[in-house]
Amino acid sequence: MKTIYEDLKYLEDHVEEKEAKRVVKDLEKRFQLLRTKSGLSQLLKKKKLAKIVRNVEYEQELEALQVELIKLQNWVYDNKKRVMIIFEGRDAAGKGGAIKRFIQYLNPRKFRVAALPKPTEVETGQFYFQRYFKHLPDPGEIVFFDRSWYNRAIVEPVYGFCTEEQYEKFMMEVPEIEHALVDDGIILIKFWFSISKETQQKRFKERMSNPLKHWKLSPVDQKAQEMWDKITYYKEEMFSRTHTGYAPWIIVDSNDKKSARLESIRYVLSQIPYEGREDAKINLHHDPEIVERYHRRTHQEKG
């Protein structure tokens, strides 16, 4: 009795039409994906075949990129480089999920995630950047900022957590401070994860209906849809006044979380000249339809 793979091999050998050969090759690839541990597991859960194939392809691509991230981390450590990656974006834009995939297999001794809570009474009286400076990367280290000092550019003015004077002072100071950091040798990458209003609403509903995600909802989150236009205003101000040649904003279309994760990792890998990059077994060129440098004239961000 022939197996389906033998039948496919027969077709591949005997079909002559170019498009038909391509279809047979594609079928063979899809069946190979279904034979993986992840594919079989999802089959048992009765997921749709197209979704299973997409999930397995995503997992394999992510794993290959994570191999490169380990090489990058080793290069950063060996060469005493300092890397700072900022993740900003609206609530539910997928920042935390992206960071989770970045760090999944990294050596925990060589990276940190900075996700600062509400400032204490003492911190409120300090120089604004002081609490963030404590978390800057040491030589040989990568620090991932799950939100950053840019809270003062959007969240704080939108929800009345700072004065107009404090806001203006921050907006004047931050380009100079980032210039000084880059001048001192820090490799700085600033991501903005962009989503549409409809996608954000859908993700909030998922959080409300999933007891495992209830912790993600905060009072600020619940006002995000209501404050959409005001956030948009401050976001555009932030881009206009803090996008510079030495510290540009990189926009990530995060309406599809999986694509956003893959392409943001690809972007970081493409920006840092780590050893062994030329031997990568996966494409390291990010998709410009998903990840792009902010441009004042052409930017029409969805979120």
Side-chain angles (χ1 to χ4, degrees):
M1 183 178 177
K2 284 187 177 181
T3 67
I4 193 167
Y5 298 100
E6 289 172 326
D7 288 334
L8 285 170
K9 185 68 173 66
Y10 176 84
L11 286 172
E12 188 179 347
D13 292 341
H14 290 80
V15 168
E16 294 184 1
E17 204 272 321
K18 189 176 179 180
E19 179 61 18
K21 278 186 174 291
R22 186 195 66 76
V23 171
V24 172
K25 273 284 188 187
D26 187 53
L27 279 172
E28 186 177 5
K29 179 185 174 185
R30 287 170 180 263
F31 276 112
Q32 290 292 346
L33 290 173
L34 292 175
R35 290 181 70 186
T36 63
K37 184 178 178 181
S38 176
L40 291 170
S41 173
Q42 292 180 70
L43 272 174
L44 291 172
K45 293 176 183 176
K46 299 183 179 179
K47 290 190 177 181
K48 292 182 179 179
L49 289 179
K51 187 172 184 179
I52 294 173
V53 169
R54 182 174 182 266
N55 287 345
V56 175
E57 286 178 333
Y58 160 74
E59 290 163 5
Q60 291 182 344
E61 196 167 0
L62 177 61
E63 187 174 292
L65 290 171
Q66 288 170 330
V67 168
E68 296 304 307
L69 281 173
I70 292 170
K71 288 157 65 173
L72 181 148
Q73 185 188 39
N74 289 334
W75 178 84
V76 167
Y77 183 79
D78 292 340
N79 292 277
K80 306 301 180 191
K81 299 295 183 180
R82 292 169 290 161
V83 180
M84 176 179 177
I85 307 176
I86 289 174
F87 291 77
E88 289 287 349
R90 294 182 188 267
D91 298 313
K95 303 178 293 296
I99 292 172
K100 182 179 178 181
R101 274 66 185 187
F102 266 90
I103 69 174
Q104 191 170 1
Y105 295 107
L106 296 183
N107 184 334
R109 296 184 183 87
K110 301 175 185 176
F111 80 83
R112 283 181 289 122
V113 175
L116 276 61
K118 179 181 175 181
T120 64
E121 188 175 341
V122 171
E123 288 173 332
T124 302
Q126 293 175 344
F127 172 52
Y128 178 72
F129 292 91
Q130 188 169 335
R131 68 196 295 251
Y132 293 99
F133 285 170
K134 298 172 187 174
H135 300 276
L136 291 177
D138 294 323
E141 189 177 46
I142 304 172
V143 178
F144 301 87
F145 279 79
D146 188 350
R147 292 199 183 278
S148 65
W149 44 61
Y150 282 103
N151 273 337
R152 180 143 292 181
I154 299 179
V155 175
E156 291 189 16
V158 166
Y159 294 101
F161 299 154
C162 71
T163 66
E164 181 66 23
E165 184 182 0
Q166 288 172 325
Y167 168 77
E168 285 297 335
K169 188 171 185 290
F170 168 82
M171 295 298 279
M172 287 189 293
E173 290 175 343
V174 70
E176 294 179 7
I177 284 173
E178 290 180 350
H179 195 182
L181 295 177
V182 172
D183 236 18
D184 197 53
I186 288 180
I187 298 170
L188 174 61
I189 295 173
K190 301 191 307 192
F191 282 130
W192 175 271
F193 276 60
S194 166
I195 54 172
S196 67
K197 190 174 185 180
E198 294 71 28
T199 299
Q200 186 187 60
Q201 186 178 42
K202 180 183 174 184
R203 290 180 185 174
F204 281 156
K205 285 181 179 177
E206 288 172 357
R207 289 180 179 183
M208 285 186 279
S209 62
N210 186 343
L212 295 175
K213 294 184 178 181
H214 281 176
W215 65 272
K216 290 187 174 184
L217 283 170
S218 70
V220 170
D221 290 339
Q222 292 164 6
K223 290 184 179 179
Q225 289 269 297
E226 178 187 334
M227 307 297 279
W228 184 271
D229 292 338
K230 194 172 182 181
I231 291 170
T232 298
Y233 169 79
Y234 279 102
K235 176 204 69 179
E236 294 299 337
E237 282 292 300
M238 178 186 75
F239 286 157
S240 178
R241 298 173 67 177
T242 66
H243 174 77
T244 60
Y246 48 84
W249 278 106
I250 307 302
I251 314 300
V252 180
D253 182 345
S254 189
N255 285 294
D256 182 318
K257 286 183 179 181
K258 290 179 178 177
S259 295
R261 292 164 187 167
L262 295 175
E263 298 307 320
S264 58
I265 292 174
R266 231 187 288 271
Y267 178 83
V268 170
L269 293 170
S270 71
Q271 296 301 299
I272 300 176
Y274 64 93
E275 189 176 346
R277 189 170 67 174
E278 64 281 358
D279 300 323
K281 296 180 179 178
I282 189 166
N283 173 31
L284 299 182
H285 299 286
H286 63 275
D287 185 343
E289 293 294 318
I290 298 173
V291 177
E292 63 174 343
R293 186 183 172 113
Y294 169 75
H295 194 287
R296 290 179 176 84
R297 293 181 182 174
T298 60
H299 179 63
Q300 294 181 335
E301 198 209 352
K302 301 177 182 66

